[in-house]
Amino acid sequence: MVQFDNTEIAFKHKSTTDLKKAQFLFGVLASKPLVDIGKGLTNLAFALHLPIKPIIKATLFKQFVGGESIEECDKTAETLAKFGIGTILDYSVEGKSDEASFDAATEEILKTVERAHQKPYIPFAVFKVTGLCKFEILEKVNFNKPLSPEEQIAWEKAQARVDKICGLAYQYKCKVLIDAEETWIQETIDRLAEQMMKKYNREEAIIYNTTQMYRHDRLAYIKAQYEIAVKEGYKLGLKIVRGAYMEKEREYAAEHGLVDPIQPNKEASDRDFNAAVQFAIEHLDHMAICAGTHNEESCQRLVQLIEKHNIAHNDKRVYFAQLLGMSDNLSFNLSNAGFNVAKYVPYGPVSELMPYLFRRAEENTSVKGQTSRELSLIQKEIKRRKGKK
């Protein structure tokens, strides 16, 4: 058992001043009206070219982002490394849709692979396929719709970009996480990830696909992919998460007369997440996983499974992962107990990371208990430090 309420360990990397700033920030995030107002005012300020960047960098950016560039993330990555926590450099710029931007994003992701090769405390690189290809093309391929000659060329370029990233990762033995996205492009992403695993995961899991367990079909998908991997002689790499597009998924299914892909309730998502992790641990000879979760019970279950099956705490086939600025009680206490842990460390220009930051703000407002949990732990540690004086 890991004691996730040990705040001394959880916040050892933060000064009391930093904790008080985080306390204020999560206090604001606890109020949906304040978050909504803040989002509106921020968008207005950027539209009017007001000097709001320093405020953003001192608040949301400081809590949830590593910096504006890979170099600016170094300090965060080195701090995490002091406590045995890895960094996943996540170039989080979104919304681009032209070939020049896709090429630029590819070069940036290749730089994260290079940095991971240089720094042993960066165990993974990560990318979204929508950062390398137009959404509309991925959707057409998903539903086997014909592509125009121009779209066919663009699709071939996108596949080449994915292979270039995965090929460099294989060369450097740096693991790569391919993020999951909306169901109506996910089959395209799955096929790409499967091709890359088949090509590069012969000796060990280098390429990881992502499965969102709030989908009711993903547990069966994992088991089927395991059988294929065993039969065809490669390792199955998986990042297992609950998911991030639920409202969008249900709306899309309703609008298009499709079966709702989402689990009937949270309990079903939790059940399948835990079952997927258990399946992976029981078949670790042919699998490797990164469990991306902020759920304390799921982390504790995985700890128990690792110990039950006599797997070394630092076995590189099993990683825990959380987002920077959230759930430090999980990340730092797991690392302190010797488990492999990595933090997603987003980076990019302030103005271009606003969609990411707004999602983090809204997530903390909407996820039941997340903000109150963060706040209570921060307050507990501030109180503990006061008591020592």
Side-chain angles (χ1 to χ4, degrees):
M1 294 282 285
V2 176
Q3 300 302 315
F4 290 123
D5 59 353
N6 186 325
T7 58
E8 183 177 5
I9 291 172
F11 299 115
K12 202 169 185 179
H13 63 300
K14 284 189 177 290
S15 68
T16 301
T17 300
D18 285 339
L19 280 178
K20 287 178 177 177
K21 286 179 181 177
Q23 180 183 28
F24 172 78
L25 180 61
F26 281 110
V28 172
L29 294 179
S31 168
K32 189 176 187 306
L34 283 178
V35 170
D36 291 342
I37 291 167
K39 182 177 177 181
L41 290 174
T42 302
N43 284 332
L44 178 63
F46 274 111
L48 295 174
H49 303 288
L50 297 176
I52 194 173
K53 181 177 170 180
I55 298 170
I56 299 297
K57 285 201 82 167
T59 54
L60 282 169
F61 211 81
K62 182 176 175 61
Q63 183 70 23
F64 299 119
V65 178
E68 293 195 79
S69 65
I70 291 175
E71 291 72 26
E72 280 192 21
C73 292
D74 283 346
K75 185 178 178 182
T76 297
E78 287 164 7
T79 298
L80 292 171
K82 286 177 186 174
F83 298 91
I85 294 174
T87 287
I88 303 171
L89 289 171
D90 183 10
Y91 182 57
S92 296
V93 173
E94 303 175 6
K96 305 294 185 181
S97 60
D98 60 277
E99 291 297 305
S101 294
F102 295 146
D103 285 338
T106 302
E107 291 307 309
E108 191 65 35
I109 295 159
L110 289 169
K111 287 178 187 175
T112 68
V113 176
E114 291 276 1
R115 186 55 63 101
H117 175 57
Q118 296 162 3
K119 305 290 184 180
Y121 50 76
I122 303 179
F124 294 95
V126 63
F127 68 91
K128 278 185 166 67
V129 176
T130 48
L132 313 177
C133 182
K134 281 187 178 178
F135 194 102
E136 295 78 8
I137 292 175
L138 296 171
E139 189 173 8
K140 278 191 173 184
V141 173
N142 205 83
F143 293 108
N144 296 312
K145 292 181 179 178
L147 300 176
S148 69
E150 293 81 8
E151 287 174 331
Q152 183 60 40
I153 291 169
W155 172 229
E156 288 170 5
K157 283 183 179 178
Q159 293 176 85
R161 291 180 188 116
V162 171
D163 189 60
K164 188 175 183 180
I165 292 165
C166 294
L168 186 65
Y170 173 75
Q171 179 186 327
Y172 287 151
K173 295 295 181 274
C174 161
K175 296 172 172 50
V176 172
L177 306 167
I178 301 177
D179 274 348
E181 303 196 51
E182 292 87 346
T183 50
W184 54 100
I185 61 169
Q186 186 58 44
E187 192 170 329
T188 308
I189 295 167
D190 287 342
R191 299 297 86 81
L192 277 171
E194 290 156 18
Q195 289 166 20
M196 294 299 101
M197 284 192 279
K198 195 175 296 187
K199 185 173 182 179
Y200 295 116
N201 284 11
R202 293 289 169 177
E203 299 94 14
E204 61 178 309
I206 297 292
I207 314 303
Y208 287 56
N209 195 13
T210 301
T211 52
Q212 301 190 102
M213 303 313 297
Y214 71 0
R215 285 181 55 175
H216 54 66
D217 63 346
R218 291 293 88 178
L219 186 58
Y221 171 80
I222 288 171
K223 291 178 178 179
Q225 287 303 307
Y226 168 78
E227 295 296 337
I228 292 168
V230 172
K231 183 180 177 182
E232 300 194 11
Y234 64 91
K235 308 297 183 185
L236 180 62
L238 288 178
K239 183 176 77 165
I240 303 172
V241 300
R242 279 173 172 77
Y245 304 96
M246 188 167 69
E247 290 80 8
K248 226 196 260 190
E249 300 281 15
R250 287 197 158 135
E251 287 171 12
Y252 184 91
E255 285 172 13
H256 293 80
L258 301 173
V259 175
D260 186 344
I262 305 301
Q263 301 272 18
N265 49 48
K266 185 180 182 299
E267 289 72 26
S269 297
D270 292 343
R271 178 200 66 216
D272 276 13
F273 181 95
N274 293 332
V277 168
Q278 181 172 338
F279 180 85
I281 293 298
E282 290 173 351
H283 298 83
L284 210 55
D285 286 348
H286 291 278
M287 293 182 71
I289 61 164
C290 176
T293 179
H294 290 243
N295 184 291
E296 187 174 313
E297 183 188 353
S298 291
C299 289
Q300 202 68 266
R301 279 174 177 263
L302 180 49
V303 165
Q304 290 166 355
L305 281 166
I306 289 168
E307 293 179 343
K308 176 184 175 183
H309 290 272
N310 297 313
I311 297 163
H313 285 195
N314 64 348
D315 190 309
K316 296 302 180 187
R317 295 171 296 178
V318 185
Y319 259 85
F320 295 82
Q322 288 86 36
L323 297 168
L324 182 69
M326 295 170 63
S327 300
D328 284 348
N329 65 307
L330 303 182
S331 308
F332 285 82
N333 280 297
L334 282 165
S335 176
N336 188 67
F339 294 97
N340 297 318
V341 186
K343 285 281 201 184
Y344 263 70
V345 176
Y347 74 94
V350 173
S351 60
E352 297 193 39
L353 254 64
M354 292 318 298
Y356 174 86
L357 289 169
F358 288 146
R359 277 207 309 281
R360 291 289 77 80
E362 288 165 352
E363 181 179 87
N364 276 280
T365 304
S366 63
V367 175
K368 186 180 180 183
Q370 180 69 43
T371 300
S372 60
R373 178 70 169 151
E374 299 283 358
L375 258 178
S376 66
L377 290 165
I378 290 167
Q379 289 164 349
K380 179 182 174 184
E381 177 57 14
I382 291 171
K383 185 177 179 182
R384 186 195 71 80
R385 292 182 186 185
K386 281 182 180 176
K388 283 188 69 178
K389 289 180 181 178

